[in-house]
Amino acid sequence: DGEQITVPKKVAQMSVLVKEMTDEEDDDDSGPQSIPLPNVKAAILHKVIEFCKHHENEPMQEIDKPLRSQNMNEVVSDWDAKFVEIEQDTLFD
């Protein structure tokens, strides 16, 4: 979408895609780095960033597989269950 979004490097690197695209030798947060994500819509990127910021200091627990329930409130935290309650069109955008 052409939008530029600034996030702390620690948050950005929670995404495997972004982590692979950043300078591996530069582990500090000393300077901004531009990472183009042309195939990611801004609205989706904002949702990913919201998720990463929430879990920056509170890592998400691993989800048991197979799922023990179809009710997400029984599988993940309340915050995560509410977070994934989005329209299917948005989820697969």
Side-chain angles (χ1 to χ4, degrees), residues 1 7-9 11-14 19 26 30-31 35 44 48-49 54 56 58-59 65 74 76 80 83 88-91:
D1 297 347
V7 296
K9 189 171 187 174
V11 172
Q13 287 188 331
M14 291 174 74
K19 186 173 181 125
D26 183 20
S30 61
I35 302 167
I44 301 303
V48 171
I49 291 168
H54 176 79
E56 177 181 12
E58 185 181 319
K65 296 168 196 80
E74 296 175 10
V76 296
D80 289 312
F83 182 81
Q88 290 291 317
D89 291 344
T90 303
L91 188 61

Side-chain angles (χ1 to χ4, degrees), residues 73-89:
N73 288 308
E74 296 175 10
V75 178
V76 296
S77 73
D78 290 340
W79 187 92
D80 289 312
K82 186 172 180 134
F83 182 81
V84 297
E85 287 180 10
I86 57 176
E87 295 180 24
Q88 290 291 317
D89 291 344

Side-chain angles (χ1 to χ4, degrees), residues 15-49:
S15 161
V16 175
L17 173 66
V18 172
K19 186 173 181 125
E20 289 175 352
M21 296 174 73
T22 57
D23 299 331
E24 293 180 12
E25 303 88 32
D26 183 20
D27 288 336
D28 65 9
D29 213 6
S30 61
Q33 183 176 0
S34 179
I35 302 167
L37 300 170
N39 296 328
V40 181
K41 293 185 178 181
I44 301 303
L45 187 54
H46 282 286
K47 291 295 285 181
V48 171
I49 291 168

